Amino acid sequence: MDETTSEDPTAEFEGVGSSEGPRLEFYGGRGASAAPIVFFVGWAIVQTALLRVSDTTGLVAGMLIGLILGMFLVKGSWSDYANTIFEGMTQPVAVTAIVAWMWAGMFTETLQAGGLVWVADVAGVGATAFPAITFVLAAVLATGIGTGYGTSVAFVGLFFPAGILLGANPTLTFGAILSGAIFGDNLAPVSDTTIVSAVTQDADIGGVVASRFKYAIVAAAIALPAYVVASALLPGLDVAGDPRAVLVQGANPIALIHLLSMGVVIVAAVVGRHIVEAISWGIVLAVGFNLMAGLSSAADILVFRAPADAPAADALAGLPIVEIVSDPSAVGVGGSIYAGAAGFFALSILVLLIIAAAQIMIRGGAFEAVLEWSIDTLATNVRNAELTMVGTAALVNAAITINTAAEIAIGPYIARIGERFNINGYRRANILDAQTAALGYIFPWSGGVLAGYSAMVGLPDTFPWFEAGMLVNPAEVWPFVFHGWILVAVFVVAAVTGFGREYVIDRESEEVARV
């Protein structure tokens, strides 16, 4: 996750993922408390990778079944297990993710992509360069607004369809979007993962950001040309008719006015406004620009489709956002505001259930068992300690797919390992955040991937030419999230070679100038 914070950036994370509370005991020991998560990961692999079924609601069913099966492994009363599920689902980190997704979805659906399409056409951007350009622009936006999930949603809605029309490989384009989201999530000063990584390692945010730039830029410098090369090798999709004609038809230079909407969101986030407030201003401006410039009607933004026999049908029929329909199946609410929020309902439920399963692992001791073993067995010297930090952070983030939640859970253990060998807080925070940012956007069950895919499934309803077969299965994108994989590799190399390694005596936490 990765949302901007209020004036006290640490307040919302107090007590999140804490092991304080009723201890759960399981048949099979502490490791059995990981059963719900393990079952869910297996379900996700079978559903998305083996059966190629990209259905978020199906993942919800898998997590529900996993939680039910885990209950039968509990010793004694099941009440504490049930209460732990509710405790996990009420964690602030989960609610923050859900709210940010819905706000970002509404904002993206309200924006008009015609301006960006016009620029791509005028500049002559081709299929080979498009994924690389998308990576850079997504990285800039994510760094500015501090939300990689929001960036995934926005760019899937705006850039993904344009990439298909230009002939870019859709899976590679989706991977480039996720890579840009990772870059910003990892580097943005206002990102939740940046803040949590600093707080849990007792380091200041400014120093953490300054010290991690060298790692992020090395990974990006390798990922950027990799997207150019891969795009030259991987084919695009066949679009019925003349794709370039469809692209030009959707081009509208007036829609470039929405750059102001995006700029307001970025500036508001950078100056410290909450992400919900920042995106709300963007939504207000986007709606206003659409109406004033004639880019969309009021009904395109929000519409109530009511039956003719509704009590207020005659009285309200004259309103631009009320439509009287004769077909009962057409009754309902529509428009970009509705579609933007509704697209994330299933994902929101999934997130709550995943956080609940993570809380069960904490209460049952699975986290503690694995991490204590790694501390006592693997972290035998400085090099092994850093490799252990990389590995355990990666493992936890592969299981808990909401990256901020995973970071909060693993942060204290990273601190314990690092402090044992006097490793500087900046270095510990950078190791922790790199794995958190990268692996939250790679696996098919990861929050960042599912957020982008949730936005993608609405594209067939938005563009007449967009067919369901153009959707990218989440199980297919993981090899193409280049920046994420390279960022993990950079820290493996850094741990082995000592690149960037600092000890507490090398730099006090108050220092932020020397990198």
Side-chain angles (χ1 to χ4, degrees):
M1 206 178 61
D2 32 49
E3 322 314 331
T4 52
T5 64
S6 54
E7 294 181 0
D8 181 3
T10 67
E12 67 178 285
F13 306 114
E14 295 178 357
V16 177
S18 172
S19 60
E20 299 178 0
R23 187 78 173 188
L24 298 177
E25 294 187 4
F26 290 80
Y27 294 106
R30 293 184 294 177
S33 64
I37 282 286
V38 172
F39 178 86
F40 167 72
V41 172
W43 177 292
I45 292 173
V46 171
Q47 177 187 309
T48 61
L50 301 184
L51 299 179
R52 290 292 193 267
V53 177
S54 304
D55 184 353
T56 306
T57 305
L59 296 178
V60 171
M63 190 70 262
L64 284 170
I65 295 173
L67 290 169
I68 293 172
L69 294 176
M71 183 172 61
F72 291 101
L73 299 176
V74 176
K75 289 183 178 180
S77 173
W78 291 349
S79 296
D80 288 342
Y81 181 89
N83 288 331
T84 302
I85 292 176
F86 284 105
E87 178 188 352
M89 295 180 73
T90 57
Q91 295 283 357
V93 65
V95 178
T96 302
I98 292 169
V99 171
W101 285 341
M102 289 192 292
W103 254 253
M106 290 188 292
F107 181 49
T108 302
E109 287 286 339
T110 306
L111 292 177
Q112 296 288 321
L116 300 174
V117 171
W118 179 81
V119 171
D121 180 61
V122 171
V125 175
T128 301
F130 190 83
I133 293 173
T134 298
F135 166 57
V136 172
L137 294 178
V140 171
L141 178 63
T143 303
I145 67 176
T147 164
Y149 286 175
T151 299
S152 298
V153 173
F155 269 67
V156 166
L158 298 174
F159 278 71
F160 185 78
I164 289 180
L165 291 176
L166 287 169
N169 181 272
T171 306
L172 187 66
T173 302
F174 191 22
I177 292 171
L178 296 173
S179 284
I182 291 170
F183 183 94
D185 196 1
N186 176 231
L187 195 61
V190 293
S191 166
D192 270 9
T193 57
T194 298
I195 294 168
V196 173
S197 67
V199 170
T200 58
Q201 305 309 310
D202 195 25
D204 60 277
I205 295 173
V208 163
V209 173
S211 65
R212 78 175 41 156
F213 180 78
K214 55 182 175 289
Y215 307 110
I217 203 65
V218 167
I222 300 173
L224 183 62
Y227 277 114
V228 176
V229 173
S231 187
L233 299 175
L234 297 176
L237 298 178
D238 293 329
V239 179
D242 183 357
R244 198 80 195 189
V246 176
L247 182 71
V248 173
Q249 185 180 12
N252 188 347
I254 298 177
L256 285 174
I257 196 172
H258 281 305
L259 292 177
L260 293 176
S261 305
M262 298 178 69
V264 167
V265 174
I266 293 174
V267 172
V270 169
V271 300
R273 311 310 299 180
H274 195 283
I275 191 63
V276 170
E277 178 184 349
I279 296 179
S280 294
W281 280 115
I283 293 173
V284 170
L285 288 176
V287 169
F289 291 152
N290 282 343
L291 296 177
M292 289 187 296
L295 294 171
S296 64
S297 66
D300 292 329
I301 299 169
L302 182 65
V303 61
F304 297 92
R305 300 186 181 96
D309 59 353
D314 293 335
L316 301 179
L319 295 178
I321 61 172
V322 175
E323 180 182 341
I324 305 302
V325 296
S326 57
D327 184 2
S329 63
V331 173
V333 179
S336 59
I337 296 295
Y338 170 85
F344 294 92
F345 288 167
L347 181 57
S348 299
I349 299 300
L350 178 61
V351 169
L352 295 177
L353 295 174
I354 290 174
I355 300 298
Q359 193 69 8
I360 288 171
M361 290 181 66
I362 294 173
R363 292 281 184 265
F367 270 130
E368 186 178 5
V370 172
L371 297 173
E372 285 183 353
W373 175 82
S374 66
I375 291 173
D376 296 336
T377 306
L378 302 178
T380 56
N381 54 46
V382 173
R383 177 186 297 174
N384 289 344
E386 290 196 339
L387 287 173
T388 300
M389 291 160 67
V390 172
T392 53
L395 176 64
V396 170
N397 278 277
I400 303 178
T401 63
I402 308 306
N403 47 17
T404 307
E407 192 170 68
I408 292 169
I410 191 69
Y413 295 92
I414 297 295
R416 283 174 56 187
I417 298 173
E419 289 169 355
R420 173 181 289 188
F421 293 92
N422 210 31
I423 298 172
N424 186 276
Y426 293 149
R427 175 76 164 187
R428 302 196 308 263
N430 291 336
I431 291 175
L432 171 62
D433 192 75
Q435 322 317 312
T436 297
L439 297 176
Y441 297 85
I442 289 178
F443 300 112
W445 55 88
S446 298
V449 176
L450 293 176
Y453 180 76
S454 295
M456 192 184 299
V457 295
L459 294 178
D461 296 329
T462 304
F463 301 99
W465 55 267
F466 197 104
E467 301 175 357
M470 297 177 179
L471 299 175
V472 175
N473 188 299
E476 298 174 349
V477 73
W478 64 268
F480 303 103
V481 190
F482 295 155
H483 183 73
W485 290 117
I486 295 170
L487 187 61
V488 173
V490 164
F491 275 91
V492 171
V493 173
V496 172
T497 63
F499 169 71
R501 181 180 296 147
E502 290 181 297
Y503 297 95
V504 173
I505 57 175
D506 294 332
R507 170 160 55 174
E508 297 297 328
S509 61
E510 288 76 16
E511 284 185 74
V512 297
R514 184 163 63 89
V515 178

